Amino acid sequence: METNAFHRHKLINSLMAQEAEKVVENAINLWDQLAIQVIAIVGEGGFNALYLRSVFLTQATFPWLAADSPMPQTDHRFTASKLNLEEQKPDQAREANCLLLITFTDILASLIGEELTSSILRSAWCNNASDSAGSELNND
Amino acid sequence: MNRNDDVGSSDTDDHGQSEVASQDKVSRPEHNITRRKSAAIDDEAAVRSREELVAAREDAVGLREQAAEMRDNAATVSQDTADLHENTIQTREQAVTTREQKIRVPDEIQTVLNERMKLLQQTNANLVIATIEAHKMAEQVKMAKDQLAHLAHHDALTGLPNRILLQDRLSLAIELARRKGWQLALMFMDLDRFKNINDSLGHIVGDHLLQSVALRLSGCMRQSDTISRQGGDEFVMLLPFIKNAEEATLCAQKMLAALEPPHRIDGHDLHISVSIGISIFPKDGQDAETLMKNADTAMYHAKDNGRNHYKFFEPDMNALAVQRHSIEASLRRALEHREFVLHYQPKINLQSGAIVGLEALIRWQHPERGMLLPAEFVSIAEDCGLILPIGRRVLHEACLQAQAWLQAGLPLTSVAVNASALEFRSRDFIESIRAILEDTGLEPRYLELELTESVLMQDAEFTHSMLHELSDLGIKLAIDDFGTGYSSLSYLRQFPIDTLKIDRSFVDRMISSPDDATIVRAVISMGKNLNLRVIAEGVETQEQYAFLLAQDCDEGQGYYFGRPMAAEALAPLLQTGVSLSLPV
């Protein structure tokens, strides 16, 4: 039986597969939307702690990932991450960001549970998700 | 009002009295009766009228009272109305207030909600941060535990399994081999002369060398093999599944070859070899302890056979191993009981036959085995580290004796003492020489140190500095066994060397071998050109002496001129100043 985490991971992969030519833009867009929802619940400090922890864990696979704290300004929160991803080949950037998002949401789910996490992701990404991708969250 | 009622009543009574007077005048009897009847009727009527009047009056009073009540009621109603009006006003005011309150409530709720949200966010942020910190700490604890577990079973310096893990794997391998009928090999390895490097270049270089060796040895093993560091410069390899001893031979050869190229450590090119002892299960032992002991024994035999070799265990090796251990124990006892003695061999000026110096040579006066030569115990003393205290004892004894001869007025030019690599590279070598000279009172110019080429060429920078320090003290320096090792002529020029000693092997063959004769001539010539004294060692025959004399060699040493002898026996010879054997 497929787990909630499996659906979540599948969703992230499918969202990152969209707009293949704009990998970095797509990645930052997903982070921006996710940040708004998560910050509303755990604040800037909580989000930054989760993000930095995720980067640290993802660096085991992608050591080039920069461990800069997201900036508090909404418009430029992920400027450093964007520059960092842009330095990589698109495939590398996509794979790294997929793993980073998966790690982030895994930690979030371990803290607040799958149900709440799915709810947050729905709020963050429902407009981005294609029908098939969006249905992943509804499987929860 | 009552007064008015009374007035009205009076008017009615007057009117009744006039009607009675008029009836009297019409008819008296009848009239009287009638009149009486009429009067009665009138009275009755008057009574009734009065009653009616009273009733009317009462009604009027009642009406008045009702009117008054009504007036009271009206007043009350008016009051009530006023009250009601006031209440209405109050109600309206309250309604206004309520409306105003209702208007204010959403703003307040929003403010409260915002504050609550902020508090919740902050609380959640703190919880998230605290949880993540807890994760990190748990991770660190787990890592520390893993490291501890790894350290408990691995050598911290090389990362190889340690003796505990090897013991475990060996026990398992023996059980499996026993069940399956397989053979296994245990290879005990000890680096040759590692102590020299460790003592001369320091522990850091020694540690780096061990790491480099571990890496190379690891490259020689199969996936299923285990190589462990036992401690110091000892390694053990377990080959758990072998078809025959030939597989162990191949592995040993591979390891010897792997260690052949020099190790580049901290700017030094270090050469190190390994001696390997091999034991095979089940032939050489049924348990881990026996296999390990026998592999160790075989390793010592490999060392005794010139090092950089491997040896399979053979049962008769045990007897030799016992003897070796016995020698180690005896060496310690000999040092305590002062069983080491010095014999002195003269160095002769080949032209004049005069004794120009002495070489102090150690002998072990063994209580049971008699007088033992250095070849029988020096390598063991080097391996077990006793060479340092023994070397110092020799140096002290030689200086003390030389000083005694000088004080006795004997003509002594110098006394030479051999210094091993281990002594030369020891940190306090210079200091210990200074202390001995000071203690014995011998002037440094009477002391000569003999060092082999391999000692001098091992680390040129260090050697250069040490030799100059010794030379500055006034001590003479000689290169011993010259021609058997590797000498850089450039260093030879730079080092403050006084004397070259041609190795006895060339002297021994120079009469029969033209090549050796050529070498001897070349060394004599080179020494003279570099302004060095040249001494030929191992001169045992007249022919050898004549050849050396013909080549204009400065000095000679050997049985032909005189065997090494005890100090007391040498004193008369020193007194005469010439060799007894020399045909002058």
Side-chain angles (χ1 to χ4, degrees):
Chain A
M1 189 180 166
E2 292 175 342
T3 61
N4 290 337
F6 174 80
H7 291 303
R8 182 159 42 75
H9 296 175
K10 206 168 157 189
L11 169 71
I12 289 169
N13 282 318
S14 104
L15 286 172
M16 279 303 297
Q18 293 175 6
E19 299 187 80
E21 67 286 0
K22 297 177 180 173
V23 172
V24 176
E25 202 174 309
N26 186 26
I28 299 305
N29 192 29
L30 290 174
W31 275 114
D32 278 331
Q33 291 164 336
L34 183 58
I36 291 167
Q37 298 302 323
V38 176
I39 287 170
I41 295 165
V42 301
E44 291 273 356
F47 179 83
N48 286 355
L50 282 168
Y51 183 82
L52 290 175
R53 178 69 177 157
S54 308
V55 169
F56 171 77
L57 293 174
T58 311
Q59 278 174 333
T61 313
F62 299 98
W64 48 264
L65 268 178
D68 297 320
S69 288
M71 296 164 76
Q73 295 91 340
T74 316
D75 295 343
H76 306 289
R77 199 184 301 279
F78 297 102
T79 304
S81 305
K82 188 179 178 191
L83 291 172
N84 188 216
L85 287 174
E86 280 172 346
E87 288 169 0
Q88 308 304 319
K89 289 180 181 170
D91 281 352
Q92 275 281 295
R94 183 174 53 248
E95 280 178 35
N97 198 59
C98 270
L99 185 57
L100 186 58
L101 280 168
I102 284 170
T103 309
F104 183 95
T105 54
D106 279 352
I107 300 172
L108 189 62
S110 74
L111 294 179
I112 64 172
E114 278 292 347
E115 204 174 321
L116 278 175
T117 304
S118 295
S119 170
I120 288 169
L121 297 187
R122 259 196 301 275
S123 304
W125 295 338
C126 61
N127 293 333
N128 300 59
S130 62
D131 289 346
S132 60
S135 67
E136 304 295 345
L137 287 173
N138 297 325
N139 286 328
D140 300 342
Chain B
M1 184 150 53
N2 290 335
R3 186 169 48 90
N4 292 340
D5 289 343
D6 290 343
V7 171
S9 173
S10 298
D11 288 349
T12 308
D13 286 343
D14 289 348
H15 178 67
Q17 285 173 352
S18 70
E19 279 181 355
V20 174
S22 144
Q23 284 174 348
D24 282 340
K25 290 171 182 174
V26 172
S27 156
R28 189 119 345 218
E30 285 178 4
H31 182 65
N32 284 341
I33 298 167
T34 307
R35 202 183 41 129
R36 285 183 190 138
K37 284 180 181 177
S38 205
I41 292 166
D42 287 344
D43 287 343
E44 284 176 1
V47 168
R48 280 199 302 271
S49 177
R50 281 187 189 122
E51 284 175 352
E52 283 172 3
L53 187 62
V54 168
R57 282 180 183 156
E58 284 176 351
D59 288 343
V61 169
L63 283 172
R64 282 191 196 107
E65 284 176 351
Q66 281 178 354
E69 278 178 10
M70 284 178 70
R71 275 189 219 107
D72 288 345
N73 287 341
T76 304
V77 168
S78 288
Q79 188 61 41
D80 287 346
T81 304
D83 289 347
L84 192 62
H85 185 64
E86 201 171 320
N87 284 342
T88 306
I89 289 166
Q90 281 176 356
T91 306
R92 280 187 189 141
E93 283 174 355
Q94 280 174 351
V96 169
T97 306
T98 306
R99 271 194 216 103
E100 283 174 358
Q101 283 173 343
K102 278 182 180 172
I103 290 165
R104 281 201 302 271
V105 161
D107 288 342
E108 285 169 4
I109 288 172
Q110 194 56 50
T111 308
V112 169
L113 277 176
N114 287 344
E115 283 170 5
R116 293 270 164 87
M117 277 300 288
K118 272 185 187 172
L119 281 173
L120 277 172
Q121 269 188 348
Q122 190 57 51
T123 306
N124 287 342
N126 291 345
L127 286 171
V128 166
I129 292 165
T131 310
I132 285 176
E133 288 302 318
H135 280 185
K136 287 183 194 170
M137 283 169 66
E139 218 166 63
Q140 284 169 351
V141 168
K142 188 180 177 305
M143 275 174 67
K145 277 184 180 171
D146 290 347
Q147 278 176 349
L148 279 176
H150 188 267
L151 277 176
H153 294 96
H154 291 80
D155 170 47
L157 180 66
T158 60
L160 295 178
N162 61 12
R163 67 170 68 220
I164 296 170
L165 186 52
L166 177 85
Q167 190 67 34
D168 189 43
R169 289 188 184 172
L170 178 57
S171 300
L172 288 174
I174 288 171
E175 285 313 309
L176 194 61
R178 202 190 310 278
R179 221 171 34 240
K180 302 274 187 184
W182 291 337
Q183 293 185 87
L184 68 81
L186 195 66
M187 309 174 78
F188 203 108
M189 292 168 273
D190 187 282
L191 299 183
D192 298 328
R193 304 189 195 285
F194 173 75
K195 196 167 167 50
N196 291 5
I197 292 173
N198 214 27
D199 288 348
S200 59
L201 301 177
H203 292 288
I204 292 173
V205 172
D207 285 352
H208 289 167
L209 179 60
L210 286 171
Q211 287 170 332
S212 177
V213 167
L215 201 63
R216 289 195 195 176
L217 294 179
S218 300
C220 301
M221 62 181 220
R222 303 169 301 183
Q223 193 67 34
S224 57
D225 299 340
T226 296
I227 183 155
S228 73
R229 181 174 174 233
Q230 295 295 93
D233 58 346
E234 292 178 345
F235 296 84
V236 171
M237 186 181 269
L238 165 66
L239 311 179
F241 320 107
I242 55 164
K243 288 177 188 159
N244 48 50
E246 184 60 26
E247 284 188 32
T249 302
L250 290 173
C251 186
Q253 287 171 342
K254 209 172 163 185
M255 286 193 283
L256 292 173
L259 290 186
E260 257 177 32
H263 300 258
R264 185 73 183 160
I265 309 285
D266 296 351
H268 306 275
D269 278 328
L270 302 177
H271 290 266
I272 190 100
S273 59
V274 65
S275 298
I276 305 170
I278 308 168
S279 62
I280 305 286
F281 172 88
K283 180 173 70 75
D284 299 329
Q286 294 289 323
D287 56 77
E289 193 183 347
T290 309
L291 285 171
M292 193 72 90
K293 182 173 72 67
N294 290 343
D296 187 27
T297 301
M299 186 273 293
Y300 274 109
H301 277 264
K303 277 202 187 296
D304 288 341
N305 277 269
R307 304 171 196 267
N308 197 25
H309 278 78
Y310 63 90
K311 278 274 178 192
F312 280 91
F313 174 75
E314 291 165 20
D316 59 3
M317 285 179 176
N318 273 331
L320 293 168
V322 169
Q323 187 185 346
R324 185 185 182 87
H325 287 124
S326 161
I327 290 174
E328 270 189 33
S330 302
L331 279 172
R332 294 180 197 283
R333 188 202 59 218
L335 202 56
E336 284 175 27
H337 296 180
R338 307 183 77 87
E339 292 173 6
F340 296 110
V341 295
L342 291 186
H343 283 187
Y344 297 88
Q345 187 172 37
K347 294 177 181 177
I348 306 294
N349 182 304
L350 294 181
Q351 292 291 338
S352 66
I355 296 174
V356 291
L358 300 169
E359 180 179 359
L361 297 163
I362 188 170
R363 300 288 184 264
W364 180 6
Q365 184 63 59
H366 197 282
E368 292 152 16
R369 296 168 61 198
M371 193 69 81
L372 299 181
L373 294 172
E376 294 176 85
F377 61 88
V378 164
S379 66
I380 300 172
E382 282 181 339
D383 287 342
C384 65
L386 281 173
I387 195 70
L388 287 177
I390 291 173
R392 276 173 203 171
R393 178 72 56 81
V394 167
L395 191 62
H396 190 272
E397 188 63 33
C399 290
L400 198 64
Q401 183 61 61
Q403 180 64 1
W405 280 324
L406 287 168
Q407 283 180 338
L410 296 174
L412 180 70
T413 313
S414 67
V415 64
V417 176
N418 292 287
S420 69
L422 215 56
E423 293 169 87
F424 184 68
R425 306 279 170 193
S426 65
R427 295 178 188 286
D428 59 347
F429 183 58
I430 301 269
E431 279 313 305
S432 67
I433 289 177
R434 273 206 192 100
I436 287 169
L437 289 172
E438 198 177 309
D439 186 49
T440 57
L442 184 70
E443 286 182 46
R445 64 190 170 99
Y446 291 110
L447 178 63
E448 184 171 51
L449 290 178
E450 295 190 2
L451 302 146
T452 61
E453 286 171 294
S454 55
V455 171
L456 295 176
M457 299 303 160
Q458 205 169 57
D459 182 357
E461 200 178 323
F462 173 81
T463 302
H464 187 271
S465 143
M466 284 286 284
L467 292 182
H468 276 279
E469 211 167 332
L470 290 166
S471 178
D472 291 345
L473 278 176
I475 295 167
K476 296 193 187 90
L477 299 167
I479 300 184
D480 202 7
D481 304 337
F482 188 77
T484 55
Y486 300 95
S487 280
S488 157
L489 297 182
S490 161
Y491 290 148
L492 209 57
R493 188 168 47 79
Q494 291 172 31
F495 293 161
I497 300 293
D498 303 287
T499 308
L500 287 183
K501 294 187 78 175
I502 303 172
D503 187 65
R504 64 176 61 244
S505 59
F506 299 111
V507 175
D508 189 41
R509 293 191 298 261
M510 68 186 177
I511 302 301
S512 56
S513 160
D515 290 343
D516 287 288
T518 305
I519 290 170
V520 170
R521 275 193 215 99
V523 174
I524 293 169
S525 170
M526 184 183 71
K528 289 200 165 296
N529 288 323
L530 290 171
N531 287 323
L532 301 175
R533 280 166 61 217
V534 179
I535 302 181
E537 292 183 283
V539 182
E540 295 181 353
T541 66
Q542 165 65 29
E543 290 81 6
Q544 289 169 345
Y545 165 64
F547 179 87
L548 292 167
L549 196 60
Q551 300 308 317
D552 204 17
C553 182
D554 300 317
E555 297 168 18
Q557 181 183 348
Y559 287 180
Y560 182 66
F561 308 113
R563 288 175 175 266
M565 57 194 86
E568 311 84 64
L570 190 69
L573 209 61
L574 280 177
Q575 191 73 56
T576 61
V578 290
S579 166
L580 293 173
S581 313
L582 197 63
V584 283

